Amino acid sequence: MRSSVGAGNSAGQAAIYLARSARSVTLLVRGDSLAKSMSDYLVKEIKATPAVRVRPQTEVAAARGDRRLTELVLRDRRTGSEETVPAAALFVMIGATSHADSLPGQIARDQHGFILTGRDLTGADHAATGQPVPLPLETSMPGVFAVGDVRAGSVKRVASAVGEGSVAIPQVHQHLLRQASSAAS
Ligand SMILES: Cc1cc2nc3c(=O)[nH]c(=O)nc-3n(C[C@H](O)[C@H](O)[C@H](O)COP(=O)(O)OP(=O)(O)OC[C@H]3O[C@@H](n4cnc5c(N)ncnc54)[C@H](O)[C@@H]3O)c2cc1C
Protein backbone atom coordinates (compact mmCIF):
# COMPACT_ATOMS: atom_id res chain seq x y z
CA MET A 1 0.00 0.00 0.00
CA ARG A 2 1.17 3.53 -0.75
CA SER A 3 -0.11 6.46 1.23
CA SER A 4 -0.39 10.06 0.22
CA VAL A 5 -0.99 12.67 2.91
CA GLY A 6 -2.91 15.80 2.05
CA ALA A 7 -6.18 16.98 0.60
CA GLY A 8 -5.12 19.60 -1.93
CA ASN A 9 -4.83 19.24 -5.69
CA SER A 10 -1.22 18.11 -5.46
CA ALA A 11 -2.20 15.22 -3.17
CA GLY A 12 -5.07 14.26 -5.47
CA GLN A 13 -2.90 14.32 -8.58
CA ALA A 14 -0.21 12.32 -6.80
CA ALA A 15 -2.72 9.67 -5.69
CA ILE A 16 -4.06 9.23 -9.21
CA TYR A 17 -0.55 9.08 -10.63
CA LEU A 18 0.58 6.53 -8.03
CA ALA A 19 -2.50 4.40 -8.68
CA ARG A 20 -1.16 3.69 -12.17
CA SER A 21 1.60 1.55 -10.70
CA ALA A 22 0.47 0.70 -7.15
CA ARG A 23 -2.14 -1.87 -6.25
CA SER A 24 -3.56 0.38 -3.57
CA VAL A 25 -3.16 4.05 -2.68
CA THR A 26 -4.70 5.56 0.42
CA LEU A 27 -5.22 9.29 0.62
CA LEU A 28 -4.97 10.36 4.26
CA VAL A 29 -7.08 13.46 4.86
CA ARG A 30 -7.33 15.35 8.13
CA GLY A 31 -10.64 17.03 7.23
CA ASP A 32 -13.98 15.38 6.69
CA SER A 33 -14.05 15.68 2.92
CA LEU A 34 -11.93 16.41 -0.11
CA ALA A 35 -14.42 18.87 -1.55
CA LYS A 36 -13.24 21.73 0.65
CA SER A 37 -9.70 21.76 -0.66
CA MET A 38 -9.60 19.85 -3.95
CA SER A 39 -10.87 20.73 -7.40
CA ASP A 40 -14.11 18.99 -8.30
CA TYR A 41 -12.63 17.29 -11.38
CA LEU A 42 -10.01 15.62 -9.18
CA VAL A 43 -12.53 14.56 -6.54
CA LYS A 44 -14.54 12.90 -9.33
CA GLU A 45 -11.44 11.27 -10.79
CA ILE A 46 -10.49 9.88 -7.40
CA LYS A 47 -13.98 8.48 -6.91
CA ALA A 48 -13.69 6.81 -10.32
CA THR A 49 -10.28 5.26 -9.53
CA PRO A 50 -10.84 2.00 -7.66
CA ALA A 51 -7.21 1.73 -6.50
CA VAL A 52 -7.48 5.02 -4.59
CA ARG A 53 -9.15 4.96 -1.20
CA VAL A 54 -9.82 8.13 0.77
CA ARG A 55 -9.50 8.02 4.52
CA PRO A 56 -10.97 11.21 6.02
CA GLN A 57 -10.47 12.49 9.58
CA THR A 58 -7.15 10.71 9.70
CA GLU A 59 -3.66 11.83 10.60
CA VAL A 60 -0.34 10.03 10.65
CA ALA A 61 0.64 9.47 14.28
CA ALA A 62 3.86 7.54 13.55
CA ALA A 63 5.86 6.08 10.70
CA ARG A 64 7.82 2.92 11.45
CA GLY A 65 10.41 0.77 9.78
CA ASP A 66 13.99 -0.34 10.09
CA ARG A 67 15.89 0.37 6.90
CA ARG A 68 12.74 1.47 5.13
CA LEU A 69 9.13 2.31 5.89
CA THR A 70 7.00 -0.72 6.69
CA GLU A 71 4.02 0.59 8.62
CA LEU A 72 2.10 3.67 9.62
CA VAL A 73 0.16 4.39 12.76
CA LEU A 74 -3.01 6.23 11.74
CA ARG A 75 -5.06 8.20 14.22
CA ASP A 76 -8.78 8.79 13.83
CA ARG A 77 -9.23 12.48 14.65
CA ARG A 78 -12.80 12.00 15.86
CA THR A 79 -12.16 9.19 18.34
CA GLY A 80 -8.40 9.39 18.89
CA SER A 81 -8.16 5.65 18.25
CA GLU A 82 -5.03 4.44 16.49
CA GLU A 83 -4.56 1.72 13.91
CA THR A 84 -1.32 0.30 12.57
CA VAL A 85 -1.37 -0.43 8.84
CA PRO A 86 1.29 -1.78 6.49
CA ALA A 87 2.81 0.86 4.22
CA ALA A 88 5.40 0.57 1.48
CA ALA A 89 5.68 4.29 0.84
CA LEU A 90 4.43 7.60 2.17
CA PHE A 91 4.12 10.70 0.03
CA VAL A 92 3.66 13.93 1.94
CA MET A 93 1.81 16.54 -0.10
CA ILE A 94 0.89 19.12 2.50
CA GLY A 95 2.23 22.31 0.99
CA ALA A 96 5.27 23.95 -0.42
CA THR A 97 7.98 26.06 1.13
CA SER A 98 9.84 28.86 -0.51
CA HIS A 99 13.49 28.44 -1.52
CA ALA A 100 14.32 32.13 -1.59
CA ASP A 101 17.09 31.89 1.02
CA SER A 102 19.81 32.74 -1.48
CA LEU A 103 18.32 36.19 -2.09
CA PRO A 104 19.80 39.18 -0.27
CA GLY A 105 18.34 39.96 3.14
CA GLN A 106 17.08 43.35 1.92
CA ILE A 107 14.35 41.51 -0.01
CA ALA A 108 11.64 41.22 2.64
CA ARG A 109 9.90 37.89 3.11
CA ASP A 110 7.01 36.68 5.23
CA GLN A 111 7.41 34.21 8.09
CA HIS A 112 7.32 31.30 5.62
CA GLY A 113 10.02 32.73 3.37
CA PHE A 114 7.70 33.94 0.60
CA ILE A 115 8.67 37.27 -0.94
CA LEU A 116 6.61 40.31 0.00
CA THR A 117 5.63 42.71 -2.76
CA GLY A 118 3.68 45.91 -3.26
CA ARG A 119 1.07 46.64 -0.64
CA ASP A 120 2.14 43.70 1.53
CA LEU A 121 5.25 45.67 2.40
CA THR A 122 4.62 47.81 5.40
CA GLY A 123 4.99 51.55 5.25
CA ALA A 124 7.73 51.30 7.84
CA ASP A 125 9.94 49.38 5.39
CA HIS A 126 9.90 52.33 2.99
CA ALA A 127 10.13 54.98 5.60
CA ALA A 128 13.30 53.26 6.83
CA THR A 129 14.90 53.04 3.39
CA GLY A 130 13.56 56.31 1.99
CA GLN A 131 12.56 54.40 -1.13
CA PRO A 132 9.40 55.16 -3.12
CA VAL A 133 6.31 53.02 -2.46
CA PRO A 134 6.87 49.80 -4.40
CA LEU A 135 4.86 48.89 -7.47
CA PRO A 136 2.38 46.01 -6.97
CA LEU A 137 4.86 43.23 -7.87
CA GLU A 138 7.97 45.04 -6.72
CA THR A 139 9.89 43.74 -3.72
CA SER A 140 11.42 45.79 -0.94
CA MET A 141 14.51 46.10 -3.17
CA PRO A 142 13.60 48.70 -5.82
CA GLY A 143 13.79 47.30 -9.33
CA VAL A 144 13.52 43.69 -8.16
CA PHE A 145 10.14 42.08 -8.89
CA ALA A 146 8.69 38.78 -7.70
CA VAL A 147 5.99 36.75 -9.44
CA GLY A 148 4.51 33.28 -9.18
CA ASP A 149 4.68 30.77 -6.38
CA VAL A 150 7.56 32.43 -4.57
CA ARG A 151 5.55 35.63 -4.08
CA ALA A 152 3.70 35.86 -0.78
CA GLY A 153 -0.05 35.71 -1.26
CA SER A 154 0.07 34.57 -4.89
CA VAL A 155 -2.39 32.01 -6.19
CA LYS A 156 -0.26 28.92 -6.67
CA ARG A 157 -1.34 28.13 -10.22
CA VAL A 158 0.39 28.09 -13.60
CA ALA A 159 -1.99 30.62 -15.15
CA SER A 160 -1.53 33.11 -12.33
CA ALA A 161 2.27 32.74 -12.36
CA VAL A 162 2.31 33.39 -16.10
CA GLY A 163 -0.17 36.26 -15.70
CA GLU A 164 1.89 37.87 -12.96
CA GLY A 165 4.95 37.59 -15.20
CA SER A 166 3.21 39.55 -17.93
CA VAL A 167 1.89 42.11 -15.45
CA ALA A 168 5.40 42.62 -14.10
CA ILE A 169 6.74 43.81 -17.46
CA PRO A 170 4.94 47.20 -17.57
CA GLN A 171 5.92 47.64 -13.92
CA VAL A 172 9.56 47.19 -14.89
CA HIS A 173 9.04 49.91 -17.50
CA GLN A 174 7.43 52.11 -14.86
CA HIS A 175 10.39 51.56 -12.57
CA LEU A 176 12.82 52.51 -15.33
CA LEU A 177 10.80 55.66 -16.03
CA ARG A 178 10.87 56.53 -12.33
CA GLN A 179 14.63 56.11 -12.31
CA ALA A 180 15.08 58.16 -15.46
CA SER A 181 12.94 61.01 -14.12
CA SER A 182 14.67 61.04 -10.75
CA ALA A 183 18.08 61.09 -12.52
CA ALA A 184 16.92 64.02 -14.68
CA SER A 185 15.67 66.08 -11.72
C1 LIG B 1 2.28 18.32 -7.79
C2 LIG B 1 1.81 19.65 -8.30
C3 LIG B 1 0.71 19.72 -9.11
C4 LIG B 1 0.27 20.95 -9.60
N1 LIG B 1 -0.81 20.98 -10.42
C5 LIG B 1 -1.21 22.16 -10.93
C6 LIG B 1 -2.29 22.21 -11.85
O1 LIG B 1 -2.93 21.21 -12.20
N2 LIG B 1 -2.66 23.42 -12.35
C7 LIG B 1 -2.00 24.57 -12.02
O2 LIG B 1 -2.34 25.62 -12.52
N3 LIG B 1 -0.96 24.54 -11.15
C8 LIG B 1 -0.54 23.36 -10.62
N4 LIG B 1 0.51 23.34 -9.73
C9 LIG B 1 1.12 24.61 -9.34
C10 LIG B 1 2.07 25.12 -10.43
O3 LIG B 1 3.02 24.11 -10.75
C11 LIG B 1 2.78 26.35 -9.92
O4 LIG B 1 1.85 27.30 -9.45
C12 LIG B 1 3.60 27.00 -11.03
O5 LIG B 1 4.53 26.08 -11.56
C13 LIG B 1 4.32 28.23 -10.47
O6 LIG B 1 5.21 28.72 -11.45
P1 LIG B 1 6.50 29.51 -11.02
O7 LIG B 1 7.16 29.93 -12.28
O8 LIG B 1 6.12 30.57 -10.04
O9 LIG B 1 7.39 28.48 -10.18
P2 LIG B 1 8.05 27.13 -10.67
O10 LIG B 1 7.26 26.45 -11.73
O11 LIG B 1 8.32 26.38 -9.40
O12 LIG B 1 9.41 27.60 -11.33
C14 LIG B 1 10.45 28.12 -10.57
C15 LIG B 1 11.73 27.80 -11.31
O13 LIG B 1 12.80 28.50 -10.70
C16 LIG B 1 13.90 27.64 -10.60
N5 LIG B 1 14.75 28.13 -9.52
C17 LIG B 1 14.56 28.01 -8.19
N6 LIG B 1 15.57 28.60 -7.52
C18 LIG B 1 16.40 29.10 -8.45
C19 LIG B 1 17.63 29.81 -8.41
N7 LIG B 1 18.20 30.13 -7.27
N8 LIG B 1 18.20 30.15 -9.57
C20 LIG B 1 17.61 29.84 -10.75
N9 LIG B 1 16.47 29.17 -10.86
C21 LIG B 1 15.87 28.80 -9.73
C22 LIG B 1 13.28 26.27 -10.33
O14 LIG B 1 14.19 25.24 -10.66
C23 LIG B 1 12.08 26.31 -11.27
O15 LIG B 1 12.42 25.89 -12.56
C24 LIG B 1 0.96 22.13 -9.25
C25 LIG B 1 2.07 22.05 -8.41
C26 LIG B 1 2.50 20.84 -7.93
C27 LIG B 1 3.72 20.77 -7.05
Side-chain angles (χ1 to χ4, degrees):
M1 182 185 94
R2 293 180 193 183
S3 296
S4 176
V5 183
N9 282 356
S10 298
Q13 287 173 344
I16 288 164
Y17 179 79
L18 291 167
R20 289 189 204 155
S21 57
R23 240 179 309 136
S24 152
V25 178
T26 304
L27 199 52
L28 305 171
V29 178
R30 286 187 303 175
D32 54 9
S33 101
L34 288 178
K36 286 181 193 159
S37 48
M38 197 179 283
S39 298
D40 187 53
Y41 83 93
L42 269 176
V43 176
K44 286 184 178 138
E45 207 172 332
I46 284 171
K47 277 187 187 151
T49 308
V52 180
R53 183 184 156 216
V54 180
R55 199 168 159 150
Q57 303 271 16
T58 303
E59 61 191 10
V60 177
R64 294 184 183 142
D66 184 9
R67 290 177 65 82
R68 53 164 300 160
L69 179 73
T70 53
E71 58 186 31
L72 294 173
V73 180
L74 303 182
R75 183 182 299 130
D76 185 315
R77 285 165 59 86
R78 290 160 295 198
T79 62
S81 64
E82 292 186 351
E83 183 191 355
T84 301
V85 298
L90 174 67
F91 295 85
V92 182
M93 312 293 283
I94 55 173
T97 52
S98 152
H99 290 282
D101 305 347
S102 57
L103 294 174
Q106 300 99 298
I107 296 184
R109 279 154 256 187
D110 69 9
Q111 71 271 32
H112 303 294
F114 291 93
I115 299 172
L116 295 166
T117 53
R119 289 203 304 195
D120 288 341
L121 292 158
T122 63
D125 291 335
H126 311 296
T129 60
Q131 299 292 347
V133 173
L135 295 162
L137 295 170
E138 196 172 22
T139 69
S140 54
M141 185 181 269
V144 176
F145 294 78
V147 298
D149 280 14
V150 80
R151 193 178 72 76
S154 66
V155 175
K156 311 300 186 215
R157 288 285 183 277
V158 170
S160 68
V162 173
E164 286 187 1
S166 70
V167 170
I169 301 303
Q171 293 180 26
V172 171
H173 295 160
Q174 250 178 291
H175 166 77
L176 293 172
L177 276 175
R178 266 185 183 177
Q179 273 199 320
S181 63
S182 70
S185 59

